[in-house]
Amino acid sequence: MRIFFSVCSILLSFLSFAQKAKLTFKAGHGATVVFQKLSADNKFMVSVDRDKIAVLWDVASGNQVGKFENVMGADFTADSKGLYIVTDKAEVLQFDLTGRLTQRMAATKAYSNGNVNVYDVRGKDDILLVGFAIHRIDNGKIINTTAEQEKSSDRRTYSAVANKVAAYQGYQLGNIIIYDANTGNEEKRIPHGLTEYGLDIAFSADAKLVLAADKKAVKIAEVQTGKIIRTYAGTTQLYGATLSTDG
């Protein structure tokens, strides 16, 4: 009798686990997801995979509510009511959350060897790091595009606090380059000593620190002094790194 109840208990636990597992695997992507963004109101998420498919998700239900093709980058608008999509033709499109196209902006000069470089899309800041220039958006139009910066960067990111862009240079170059986001002018080069292709670059919340990572190590530098203050070497291959909001 005890064995019977034990078997039943195990079976019920397994079925319960299986049901929960099914809820977590929902149709959407057929390839590896390379990045995702959450809307400011935490109600929606957009994810993009290696096949350039973007999927819009309802966070509360976990359901897919939209899908877009030929996508290289995506983020929500500042009011969380729309979505910026950067296509593989370097067009910047704006959709509402029903999937209706509301704005088509002029294509940016974003090509490198025939490919579109989408480094960062910041809907809440109305800024796009597409190609090798800094683009600003106002009322659905690109209103300012800086001159192109150094074209040898692997990764780029933006800080609204400091209004600066940081770019990662890998291989023999080995620099973090800091730009003014309004003018695109270079302000500083910080040698980081990393030799591999750029994996991640990120500012701290207060923009006083900047992180650079390749697959082997992570370096953290002070933006003002350019001094490397932390080095973390991975015992296995690294796949991503960032700084926590509290620094």
Side-chain angles (χ1 to χ4, degrees), residues 32-36 50 155 197-201 211-218 232-242:
T32 303
V33 173
V34 291
F35 75 88
Q36 58 280 323
R50 292 190 184 279
R155 302 284 180 181
Y197 179 84
L199 183 69
D200 266 318
I201 187 163
L211 171 150
D214 65 10
K215 66 180 182 180
K216 294 181 178 179
V218 177
Y232 302 95
T235 55
T236 60
Q237 181 175 331
L238 302 177
Y239 289 93
T242 191

Side-chain angles (χ1 to χ4, degrees), residues 4-31:
F4 175 76
F5 280 124
S6 296
V7 171
C8 287
S9 177
I10 293 170
L11 181 59
L12 288 172
S13 297
F14 175 78
L15 290 174
S16 176
F17 172 79
Q19 289 173 347
K20 290 178 181 177
K22 286 181 182 178
L23 291 175
T24 62
F25 293 98
K26 298 203 174 186
H29 290 289

